[in-house]
Amino acid sequence: MDTSTLLRPAVLGVMIFIVFNALIIASAILVLAERKIMGFMQQRYGPYLVGPHGALQPFADILKLLFKEELRPKGADKWLFTLAPVLAVVAAFTAFATVPFGATTTLFGLLDEPIKLGVTDMNVAVLVVFAVTSMGVYGIVLAGWASNSKYSLLGGLRASAQMISYELSYATSLAAVILLAGSLSLREVVDSQAGYWFGFIPQWWVFLQPLGFIVYMIAGVAETNRAPFDFPEAEQELVAGFNTEYSSVRFALFPQAEYINMVTMSAVATDLYLGGWHFPGVPEWLGWAVFIAKVAAILFVYIWVRWTLPRYRYDQLMGFGWKWLFPAAVINLLLTAAAVLYFNA
């Protein structure tokens, strides 16, 4: 049997292993980055004692949570209480599986046929990401229900209402890009952004879809339950919302799912609007580094927004989603569809 034939499955296995662990490490890095950026914005120190410049603080937090006692309320549903955080984090990992993060490679000639950088390549990847990220809210709703606590239940109900309200804007903004690219495959959407307009402007869809990009980013913040839309766990109103009764590892799984969802939202935004791994002057084999840099820039905006804007009232959240964001997404889709029909005709 050809060596390349045996090597290909091994390379795929290694890639899956790397992506899985990269997402876990990204969660730890984001914990540190959030606290460091927050400290800088508030003119105070972030973590600085554990490791050089506090770099090992996330690992200290993990050890602390591992050694904490696992508590469960007496009236809680035993199985659903444990299943809820697992469901949230599994949905977060699964959603990233369809996101491509680079072009093709032969591993310096080791493979006869090039392999695509990504866990899996699907021709309906946009729909898969949309569907799987929607499943993540079930973990939050189940956590609120299974905890047998009024505060937790209210947090879970808020999460479901928020997801329904902003999922429409999120999906409608994606539909406009799909119309332009003519494909539901994330890889094909990225490939459609290769090249330049007028010889020097990158052919990224963000230049044709500035409104859609803004709608996507705002809906993405709401979808991941981040401030100023973190109503499912609003501590001023609901103690800690859906995760009030959680502790130790089960508690840690919820923020890990949140951070992985942030990475997924940023990666999809990079593929759909910012040209994926394409960047002027950068060779294609270095595209994965360009992709990571773009994702990191969007994640910085996530953190920046969290520590800049105050939390809205819940009625303001729902009003903004239905009265402003969704109509803006619909108008953007209609204008895009009219332009595609006109210029293609």
Side-chain angles (χ1 to χ4, degrees):
M1 186 179 289
D2 187 11
T3 306
S4 178
T5 306
L6 294 173
L7 188 60
R8 193 177 187 86
V11 171
L12 285 171
V14 170
M15 190 183 302
I16 293 171
F17 177 81
I18 291 173
V19 170
F20 178 79
N21 285 278
L23 288 173
I24 295 175
I25 295 171
S27 304
I29 293 174
L30 283 170
V31 170
L32 178 63
E34 183 134 38
R35 295 168 72 177
K36 283 287 191 181
I37 294 170
M38 172 182 63
F40 174 77
M41 293 180 68
Q42 297 176 352
Q43 295 185 343
R44 62 180 177 80
Y45 288 114
Y48 67 96
L49 291 177
V50 184
H53 304 288
L56 298 180
Q57 184 63 48
F59 299 100
D61 293 338
I62 292 169
L63 286 175
K64 176 187 71 175
L65 287 168
L66 285 173
F67 284 101
K68 277 185 174 292
E69 184 181 1
E70 286 275 10
L71 298 174
R72 186 179 72 248
K74 186 176 181 180
D77 187 296
K78 177 181 177 182
W79 298 108
L80 291 182
F81 190 80
T82 302
L83 176 64
V86 175
L87 180 60
V89 79
V90 167
F93 277 113
T94 305
F96 192 86
T98 60
V99 179
F101 51 85
T104 58
T105 180
T106 60
L107 290 180
F108 307 102
L110 292 176
L111 298 173
D112 293 336
E113 295 182 8
I115 192 171
K116 297 174 181 177
L117 291 179
V119 174
T120 184
D121 184 30
M122 303 184 68
N123 57 1
V124 290
V126 176
L127 286 181
V128 173
V129 171
F130 179 71
V132 175
T133 52
S134 301
M135 293 293 294
V137 75
Y138 283 94
I140 296 176
V141 174
L142 283 177
W145 169 260
S147 296
N148 193 32
S149 163
K150 289 188 287 289
Y151 293 117
S152 300
L153 180 59
L154 283 172
L157 292 174
R158 282 185 172 191
S160 60
Q162 185 170 317
M163 185 274 291
I164 293 170
S165 301
Y166 282 82
E167 195 93 338
L168 290 170
S169 305
Y170 170 71
T172 309
S173 62
L174 293 183
V177 176
I178 293 167
L179 276 176
L180 290 172
S183 175
L184 286 167
S185 167
L186 281 172
R187 186 169 292 276
E188 291 181 11
V189 173
V190 173
D191 290 339
S192 69
Q193 298 175 79
Y196 301 90
W197 285 305
F198 309 110
F200 65 95
I201 301 176
Q203 197 171 309
W204 299 349
W205 295 131
V206 67
F207 296 117
L208 295 182
Q209 290 287 309
L211 179 58
F213 180 67
I214 293 171
V215 169
Y216 175 90
M217 291 301 298
I218 295 174
V221 173
E223 285 283 299
T224 52
N225 299 320
R226 295 276 297 179
F229 302 137
D230 57 337
F231 290 94
E233 51 180 314
E235 63 270 13
Q236 293 93 331
E237 305 162 22
L238 304 178
V239 185
F242 65 90
N243 57 18
T244 299
E245 307 296 343
Y246 281 87
S247 60
S248 190
V249 176
R250 284 184 290 206
F251 170 81
L253 289 178
F254 282 116
Q256 183 179 40
E258 177 183 305
Y259 283 120
I260 294 173
N261 283 326
M262 285 171 56
V263 174
T264 302
M265 289 287 183
S266 303
V268 172
T270 299
D271 280 343
L272 290 176
Y273 294 98
L274 302 179
W277 47 87
H278 299 296
F279 195 84
V282 177
E284 197 172 73
W285 64 274
L286 269 179
W288 59 270
V290 169
F291 181 86
I292 292 174
K294 292 178 181 178
V295 170
I298 297 175
L299 288 171
F300 172 77
V301 174
Y302 262 98
I303 298 171
W304 183 10
V305 167
R306 174 175 181 175
W307 300 107
T308 303
L309 300 178
R311 182 186 296 119
Y312 299 112
R313 294 197 316 266
Y314 191 68
D315 62 308
Q316 291 175 328
L317 165 82
M318 302 304 286
F320 178 71
W322 287 104
K323 295 179 181 178
W324 297 98
L325 203 64
F326 182 54
V330 171
I331 291 171
N332 179 68
L333 178 60
L334 292 175
L335 291 175
T336 303
V340 170
L341 286 173
Y342 177 80
F343 287 107
N344 284 349

